[in-house]
Amino acid sequence: MELEKEEILSAIHHCVKCKLCSIASFHPNEEWLPLCPSGEYYGYQAFYAPGKMEIFRAILEGEITEPSEGLLNSVYACTVCGACYEKCKQITSVELGAPDLFEAMRREMASKGWILDVHTSIADKIEETKNAYGEKYEYKVNAETTAGDADVLYYIGCTARYRVPEIADAMLGIFDKLGLKYQVMGEEWCCGSVLFRTGQVEAARELVAHNVEEIKKSGAKTVVFTCPGCLKTFKKDYPDMGVELLHSTQFLTRLGNMNLKKENLKAAYHDPCHLGRDLGIYEEPRAVLSEVADIKEMKREREQAWCCGSGGGVKSAFDDFALWSAAERLKEAKEAGAEALVSACPFCKRNLKEAAEKEELEVYDVVELVNRCLEG
Amino acid sequence: MNETFSKLVKELQAIVGERNATDDPAICTSYSRDQHWHFVPAKNPACIVRPGNKEEVRAVLMLANTHKIPVIPYSTGINVRGLTIPVHDGSILLDLSRMNRILEINPEMKTATVEPGVTFGMLLEQTRKYKLRPAFPDAPLTVSVLVNYYLRGIYQTSATDGHDHTISYEMILPNGETLKTGSRALSEMPYFRYGVGPDFAGMFCAHPGTCGVVTELTAKLYRLYDNRKEYFIGFDDVGTPTKFIYNLMNDDLAASIRLVDNQSWLKGIFGTFDYPYEKLPKFVLCVLIEGVDGIYEAKDKLVRAYMKECGGQVLELPAEFARTFEDECLGGAEKSCMVFGIKGRGNYHCIGLYGPLTLAAEYYEVHEKTALEVGIPQDHIHFYIDPIYSFHGQLCYFELDVFYDGSDEEFGDKLRNYNEKQFHRLLDLGIYGWFRPYAGIIEPTAERIGYLAEVWKKFLHVLDPNEIMNRGKLF
Ligand SMILES: Cc1cc2nc3c(=O)[nH]c(=O)nc-3n(C[C@H](O)[C@H](O)[C@H](O)COP(=O)(O)OP(=O)(O)OC[C@H]3O[C@@H](n4cnc5c(N)ncnc54)[C@H](O)[C@@H]3O)c2cc1C
Ligand code: SF4
Ligand code: SF4
């Protein structure tokens, strides 16, 4: 979304700096539950939504003219998780969401060259290899079950291809076990999410054009994503391709009874920010998970879920902070009596899993459990 | 940033740790403005320092005092009066939010001792385990308990709890000395306000960071009763309900009594815009009663008897309204802050003052008159009365509110104009005092208080001879 300067300033002026966006709804349970990972971790006002808005105002009004370290840190050590906005919206009905503002802020900064080296290096990797991790392009799929003329196309995404392949494997396993015809893209390029989220919009244009072209050529009617970041990017930043875009859990709920063998597992469900707050998909992942495990409710859920800490370019640039945020989530899952923390996003899984290295808590993506519980 | 200052930041970092002091311009910018920016223009502090304990506070103050550097104490920064926005160049903003320990909850003494970063939400989470609560302001429950009580405010339950919840505190002065008030000065028992000699706690209270830094404060807690009931009574004017308010106060019947208008605070009190508030009478008196078995029923009976003859209309409202009102009164303001979302009028300006209930109608009249005179439309003019225990002098808090669009510069001019006229008019009409002393209000007032103003200034000079403590926010 392109925002006008006047619109942005007007929204910023309406922030009363009450900081209610830093905690989850207090009533009726009367528990003090922080909501903003970046503010909680770094502490200075600049890392909370109202402070960041003030910085944006000062950039637009020409008061900030240099990319100081504090500027880069406060702006980019924000997971753009949108939790602040969900809370603010409940009480203020403000007309512009903080994540949109913060992305606009990053675009403004990127246009001045005020960007982190680690984020430009991701752009370089993408340019070279067409994926965000700079890996050599290859991903093997089972040639017997993929079909070039299938109506359903599974867009795997960089993270599930190169960092958490167990998610891609599980999704493909589900297709295979259910005997569903599907295709994957011969040349799947990064969706551009990381570029959009870090303000490098120009660098994403070629990727968008390529992926749109490939999907059109495929003739698929439905594109399924295990990555909510990719799904959000396709929905919000891509032109309408006339195809249906679904998250894996939406796709699976639609299939109806899959004859799943429920496990004796207590699992907490972690709402990925892009899936929940950005796309409003809260029910389907829970519906699927409840078929395979007993769900344990955590204190901060749905609109007010605590972010895993990896989004918005944070994992690549501020890994300590990302892992701290994930560890907070793991604590909450344990408090809820869960044996496993289940998400529906490769980004969340990767960060949570890393933070859980020394924990007695399993971390899964919901498709992994579904694949495990499907009669093979 | 000049070299001397960079050296100073290094010294500050040596005190609080590298991570907790910075002169980064962007970080400083995030502290440069609050909701009062039409009246207090944005200005960056020169650096932010975040001490983690009182020894660090002391060391920072002594360093600042030696170099005569202005210091602005900041606990949660939500004061809506520009009180933590620097006046002078080169100020240190002392962000105390890391000091957020609840030092004691003493259910037998009905007290809590807290550090500056403890918010109302944090405190209630713990006190409710003992069926106790703090007295809640209408301020968001994210504000500092210590500062709110130290500044002395106005509370949802002022009708029963009064407006002074401070028992004793500990303050660090610019010269590094520690000043303890009340019984705290004599013993480990901080539970009595008037320990030795004069009411020192009262003397240092209500200063916007202009004496020293309060590092811990012991406050009163109040019982949470299971028996509760609410009544909402509508009136078309401000004068009619005053007799009813008098009766309720005179017989100590209600925990919360607030007369609000149906277009602003009422929406917040009920936590939703989704109701045709304009169909209600213009003013609504919200009454909450509570108490132990026996007393509660007796209070209820009397309230109902007074209600019959009050000249108002008892309103039948959705049950969830009563629930939200109760939550906010006895559990802290969260949904009340929904008033920020009133379309095109979400920013809020008010003049808060103390005066007798007998002048209620006149305060409203002068509010309306001045607002209309400076071009503020009728539907932006709001009002609110909160009577205060135990009603000697018929003490009430009055709030003359204007809700407006903060992005509208012209409206800002109107409000400045309004303030200029209104301060004088109210002083002419007769008030007991202002909600809190702050710049803009204190100047016209100081002219009228005779020698007291001189004594006050001398008193501050004794505590802070180098004038480093948030100067410009008072005199
Ligand atoms: C919507 C809204 C409604 C409100 N309604 C009410 C109400 O009904 N009743 C009420 O009482 N208040 C009300 N307030 C104001 C509220 O009381 C203040 O926001 C709050 O109590 C003080 O602000 P703070 O705690 O954020 O302190 P800060 O903003 O951090 O500080 C306020 C002042 O105290 C000084 N200070 C800060 N810390 C210290 C310290 N440790 N030692 C010495 N000085 C210090 C600062 O320098 C500054 O001058 C309302 C505010 C809002 C936003
Ligand atoms: S973003 Fe919303 S909730 Fe947060 S401080 Fe501003 S107005 Fe309050
Ligand atoms: S988007 Fe998330 S991390 Fe960023 S300010 Fe809002 S709550 Fe904090």
Side-chain angles (χ1 to χ4, degrees), chain B residues 262-263 273-280 321:
Chain B
N262 68 8
Q263 288 306 304
F273 293 123
D274 222 4
Y275 188 80
Y277 293 97
E278 66 288 352
K279 297 214 172 103
L280 295 176
F321 283 4

Side-chain angles (χ1 to χ4, degrees), chain A residues 14 18 27 32 41 54 70 92, chain B residues 19 24 33 125 142 332 341 405:
Chain A
H14 293 159
C18 64
H27 298 304
W32 182 265
Y41 186 74
E54 212 42 49
T92 68
Chain B
R19 194 186 148 120
D24 185 281
R33 203 177 73 137
E125 181 182 58
T142 40
D405 178 350

Side-chain angles (χ1 to χ4, degrees), chain B residues 43-65:
Chain B
K43 187 171 176 70
N44 278 17
C47 69
I48 316 295
V49 183
R50 305 186 68 232
N53 57 50
K54 40 185 151 172
E55 288 321 311
E56 291 180 4
V57 171
R58 192 188 319 281
V60 172
L61 283 183
M62 287 169 73
L63 183 69
N65 201 32

Side-chain angles (χ1 to χ4, degrees), chain B residues 228-284:
Chain B
R228 298 164 184 182
K229 187 177 249 180
E230 302 74 20
Y231 293 105
F232 305 105
I233 308 107
F235 296 90
D236 292 322
D237 67 324
V238 171
T240 310
T242 54
K243 176 84 177 105
F244 181 40
I245 295 175
Y246 179 85
N247 288 335
L248 296 178
M249 291 301 290
N250 200 34
D251 290 348
D252 284 341
L253 295 178
S256 179
I257 304 175
R258 277 179 298 161
L259 184 77
V260 294
D261 72 68
N262 68 8
Q263 288 306 304
S264 59
W265 292 115
L266 195 63
K267 297 175 182 173
I269 284 173
F270 293 157
T272 176
F273 293 123
D274 222 4
Y275 188 80
Y277 293 97
E278 66 288 352
K279 297 214 172 103
L280 295 176
K282 185 161 166 47
F283 296 97
V284 176

Side-chain angles (χ1 to χ4, degrees), chain A residues 90-112:
Chain A
Q90 275 187 11
I91 43 175
T92 68
S93 330
V94 284
E95 64 276 41
L96 286 175
D100 287 334
L101 279 178
F102 298 156
E103 281 188 16
M105 185 174 186
R106 290 170 173 209
R107 278 199 297 277
E108 179 71 21
M109 287 179 47
S111 74
K112 296 176 193 290

Side-chain angles (χ1 to χ4, degrees), chain A residues 16 18, chain B residues 72-80 83-84 96 116 120 136-140 142-156 171 207-210 212-215 265 337 339-340 348 384 397 399 435-436 470 473:
Chain A
V16 280
C18 64
Chain B
I72 305 163
Y74 169 112
S75 289
T76 41
I78 313 177
N79 62 77
V80 279
L83 292 176
T84 55
L96 299 152
F120 280 96
F136 290 101
D138 269 352
T142 40
V143 308
S144 155
V145 177
L146 177 148
V147 183
N148 185 277
Y149 289 172
Y150 169 70
L151 292 182
R152 204 173 48 230
I154 188 72
Y155 302 89
Q156 314 226 23
M171 180 190 270
H207 281 94
T210 43
V213 176
V214 183
T215 47
W265 292 115
C337 299
V339 289
F340 305 144
Y348 126 92
Y384 161 24
Y397 168 76
E399 195 166 283
F435 170 49
R436 281 176 191 153
N470 210 8
K473 290 301 170 194

